[in-house]
Amino acid sequence: MKVYIDGQEYSDLLGNADAASILNVVRGEASRNGRVVTEIRLDDVVMDEEAFLNVTGGLAARFTSQPVRELVHDSLDGALDYIPRLTKGLEEIALHFEKNEIAVGQGKLADAADGLDWLLLVFRNCSALLAIEEEMSESGLDELKSSLSESVNSLGTLHAERKYLPMALCIRQKLIPEIENFSVHVQRLRDLGASTQ
C-alpha cells in the first residue's frame, strides 16, 4: 500500500507494514512536525482511525494533517459558536416540558445531551493538546464541571421520576447558567491558546 502524508509519499519508510504500524508511523511523523492527523482516506474513502485499523488491503492511504494550534483554534471557535445554540435549544426544551409537550422535549433533550458531551470533549481535548490544564484548573473550572455533572444527574433523576416541570426549572435555573459560565472558560482557553503560539 502506498502511504501519503499531506501529499508526500512515505511508502519507502513503511515497506509492507500493517495498518496499526502505518498509523503509528504517520502519527509520529505528524507529531514531530507539530501537526495532528485530521483525515484518513483509503482508496478515496474517508474513514476514522478505528476503521483504518481494521483494513487489510488497499492501494493508497492518504493522511491529511493540520497544525495542532490551528486545529485547536478552529475547534474552540466551533465550540464558542455552538454554545448559544445549545442554550437556546435548552430554553426550548424547558418550554416544551412546561407546555406538557413531553415527547418533543425528550427528543430534543437527547440531542442537547449529545451537544453538551461534544462541547466538554472539545474542551478536554483542546486543553490536553495545548498542555495547559494547570492554568485552567486554577480558575474554578473543576467546581463548574462538578456542578454541571450534578445538574445533568439531577435531570436524569427527575426524568426517571417523570417530573417534567422540575426538569424545566433545573434546565433554566442551573444548567443554562452553568453552560454560559462554561463559555467563559472556553473563551479563556482559546485566548490562552492564541497567546502561546
Side-chain angles (χ1 to χ4, degrees), residues 45-69:
V45 176
V46 176
M47 58 183 57
D48 62 14
E49 290 184 0
E50 188 176 325
F52 181 75
L53 289 172
N54 290 316
V55 301
T56 54
L59 300 176
R62 298 178 187 281
F63 296 85
T64 304
S65 70
Q66 182 177 16
V68 171
R69 298 251 178 234

Side-chain angles (χ1 to χ4, degrees), residues 1-167:
M1 171 185 330
K2 290 186 179 277
V3 177
Y4 301 86
I5 304 173
D6 296 323
Q8 183 177 351
E9 187 171 353
Y10 280 79
S11 303
D12 298 341
L13 298 173
L14 297 165
N16 290 326
D18 64 346
S21 300
I22 291 170
L23 187 56
N24 283 334
V25 168
V26 170
R27 279 188 192 144
E29 188 65 28
S31 180
R32 274 189 289 288
N33 294 313
R35 299 173 74 86
V36 65
V37 174
T38 55
E39 182 182 83
I40 302 171
R41 188 178 288 269
L42 180 66
D43 298 336
D44 289 329
V45 176
V46 176
M47 58 183 57
D48 62 14
E49 290 184 0
E50 188 176 325
F52 181 75
L53 289 172
N54 290 316
V55 301
T56 54
L59 300 176
R62 298 178 187 281
F63 296 85
T64 304
S65 70
Q66 182 177 16
V68 171
R69 298 251 178 234
E70 186 180 299
L71 175 65
V72 167
H73 184 271
D74 292 349
S75 298
L76 291 173
D77 280 349
L80 287 167
D81 288 344
Y82 178 68
I83 289 171
R85 293 197 322 264
L86 177 60
T87 56
K88 182 177 185 264
L90 286 166
E91 270 295 333
E92 291 172 6
I93 291 164
L95 194 60
H96 287 302
F97 287 139
E98 289 165 350
K99 291 180 172 180
N100 206 27
E101 297 168 350
I102 307 307
V104 176
Q106 288 174 327
K108 289 183 177 181
L109 187 59
D111 292 340
D114 289 343
L116 183 57
D117 285 345
W118 173 82
L119 185 63
L120 294 170
L121 181 66
V122 166
F123 186 85
R124 185 175 67 241
N125 289 346
C126 289
S127 295
L129 285 170
L130 292 172
I132 53 178
E133 290 99 341
E134 224 174 89
E135 291 92 332
M136 296 305 291
S137 67
E138 296 171 5
S139 63
L141 182 62
D142 291 336
E143 293 83 5
L144 178 59
K145 285 181 181 177
S146 176
S147 182
L148 266 169
S149 179
E150 287 172 21
S151 294
V152 169
N153 289 337
S154 292
L155 277 174
T157 301
L158 291 169
H159 184 263
E161 296 170 356
R162 299 175 187 255
K163 295 181 177 176
Y164 301 110
L165 287 177
M167 281 179 72

